[in-house]
Amino acid sequence: MEKQIVTLSNGVKMPKVGLGVWKSTNDEARQMVEDALSNGYRLIDTAKQYGNEIGVGEGLAQGLKKNGLKRQDVFLTTKIFNGDQGDYNRVRMAFNEQLERLQTDYVDLLLLHWPVYNKYNESWRALQAIYEEGQARAIGVCNFDVEHMTKLMDKAITAPMVNQIEFNPRIHQPETVAFCQNHQIQLEAWSPLGNGKLLDNPVIKKIAEKYKKTVAQVELRWELQQGLVVIPKTTHVARMKENMDIFDFELNADEMEAIAELDEEKHAIWYDKFKWSGNPDGIDDYIATPGNY
């Protein structure tokens, strides 16, 4: 039977499939997390930017109690808000507030949400301390390309264990993928279903019919076979179950290549669209509060 976990560079075990809660209200997130835990999910991914850490924390508490689980049974991820970056003490204080909202005294993975210009190295210094003190079992980054990764690792004492990037059949980021794989940095795909834009694609539909699976299941399987962790978002229990049911089939080389050929290499959203990507003085003007993108 195929293993449903990956082992990070520091030995921490991480589930291959989790639930993402981007663009969910606190009420939605609460129910989603409780439902996910009741249906076999053990990885939950949120962020301060999403504005739903309170809901995730409540759903986690309810889901643990309902299913007879312990906190250590669930791999919980959150992220440092861009507006908190760049100051060691601010990162530490803000993260402690995040823990309170999540109703926990540690997270399993803490990520820098974006590579904020001229600030992420100082932010990483705070994450290293959080990791050393046990408030995070693993640390990493999101949306860091090769240039960002190189600049961060040149000064880091502890290398990132995870890089969460946009990855699906429409965007592959091959240079970033190769860099992370060469440095034993686990890749995790956000938007693994590409916002549903390929659900009617004839190439994937034909493959799905062969395996008696959905298009979404084939897309997620394609990503798993490349070594990525996936965190699809859904509020529907039936789809949660489907998204988890991807360990009983395997795509062949021709099918993997056919899906790979759908690549357009276009980001749905990217850091250079924001003031903070190259104008640190404008950071607080744009993202004073969570939920602005």
Side-chain angles (χ1 to χ4, degrees):
M1 184 176 179
E2 181 179 350
K3 291 183 179 179
Q4 298 186 20
I5 60 171
V6 295
T7 303
L8 304 182
S9 60
N10 67 342
V12 167
K13 307 293 185 183
M14 180 179 187
K16 289 182 178 179
V17 180
L19 177 75
V21 298
W22 185 39
K23 290 186 177 179
S24 302
T25 66
N26 276 305
D27 287 342
E28 289 171 336
R30 181 188 307 110
Q31 190 62 54
M32 289 165 66
V33 171
E34 183 177 343
D35 288 341
L37 295 183
S38 297
N39 286 281
Y41 282 75
R42 296 297 180 263
L43 165 58
I44 306 296
D45 180 278
T46 186
K48 179 176 177 178
Q49 183 72 41
Y50 304 165
N52 58 24
E53 287 180 319
I54 289 175
V56 169
E58 292 174 347
L60 178 62
Q62 293 169 5
L64 294 179
K65 183 178 180 180
K66 179 180 179 181
N67 295 285
L69 299 171
K70 297 179 180 179
R71 169 65 186 85
Q72 57 264 36
D73 294 325
V74 178
F75 192 101
L76 178 63
T77 300
T78 195
K79 309 175 188 80
I80 297 297
F81 175 52
N82 296 343
D84 294 329
Q85 282 205 44
D87 180 271
Y88 178 92
N89 291 326
R90 183 167 60 193
V91 172
R92 298 296 306 268
M93 184 179 301
F95 176 61
N96 285 334
E97 293 170 353
Q98 290 179 256
L99 290 178
E100 290 182 12
R101 289 192 290 273
L102 292 166
Q103 300 186 34
T104 185
D105 58 3
Y106 74 96
V107 295
D108 297 274
L109 178 62
L110 180 62
L111 304 171
L112 292 183
H113 206 153
W114 287 89
V116 180
Y117 178 79
N118 213 29
K119 292 180 181 286
Y120 56 81
N121 279 313
E122 177 66 7
S123 302
W124 188 252
R125 191 170 73 87
L127 261 67
Q128 290 178 145
I130 288 168
Y131 172 65
E132 291 297 329
E133 293 173 18
Q135 287 184 299
R137 296 177 63 230
I139 53 176
V141 296
C142 300
N143 305 305
F144 275 53
D145 59 19
V146 173
E147 179 182 359
H148 299 130
M149 294 295 290
T150 301
K151 289 180 178 178
L152 181 122
M153 292 173 68
D154 281 347
K155 295 185 177 181
I157 296 172
T158 303
M161 293 139 200
V162 173
N163 187 8
Q164 186 183 116
I165 63 172
E166 182 182 8
F167 189 96
N168 57 62
R170 299 175 72 238
I171 180 165
H172 305 169
Q173 303 200 60
E175 294 84 5
T176 299
V177 168
F179 181 93
C180 290
Q181 290 176 339
N182 288 338
H183 289 84
Q184 292 74 54
I185 298 167
Q186 176 62 46
L187 288 154
E188 183 177 18
W190 65 263
S191 192
L193 300 176
N195 293 318
K197 293 182 179 179
L198 288 173
L199 294 181
D200 292 323
N201 182 273
V203 172
I204 307 180
K205 286 180 74 173
K206 184 177 180 180
I207 297 171
E209 290 168 1
K210 171 185 172 181
Y211 292 103
K212 295 181 172 56
K213 293 291 184 179
T214 66
V215 168
Q217 287 172 315
V218 170
E219 290 184 61
L220 295 174
R221 182 70 213 179
W222 178 79
E223 290 148 12
L224 282 193
Q225 287 183 214
Q226 296 178 77
L228 280 85
V229 170
V230 295
I231 46 170
K233 175 206 170 183
T234 181
T235 59
H236 304 287
V237 172
R239 288 179 188 156
M240 285 184 190
K241 293 178 179 178
E242 285 182 358
N243 291 343
M244 184 65 76
D245 185 23
I246 55 176
F247 294 96
D248 60 351
F249 73 108
E250 185 171 343
L251 304 176
N252 63 39
D254 289 341
E255 291 161 345
M256 292 290 290
E257 179 59 29
I259 297 172
E261 289 176 357
L262 301 174
D263 185 25
E264 298 177 17
E265 217 54 38
K266 293 180 181 178
H267 288 283
I269 188 170
W270 194 233
Y271 73 98
D272 58 7
K273 296 183 184 299
F274 304 111
K275 290 182 179 180
W276 48 258
S277 69
N279 177 16
D281 295 331
I283 183 170
D284 294 326
D285 295 335
Y286 189 78
I287 51 172
T289 57
N292 284 341
Y293 68 81

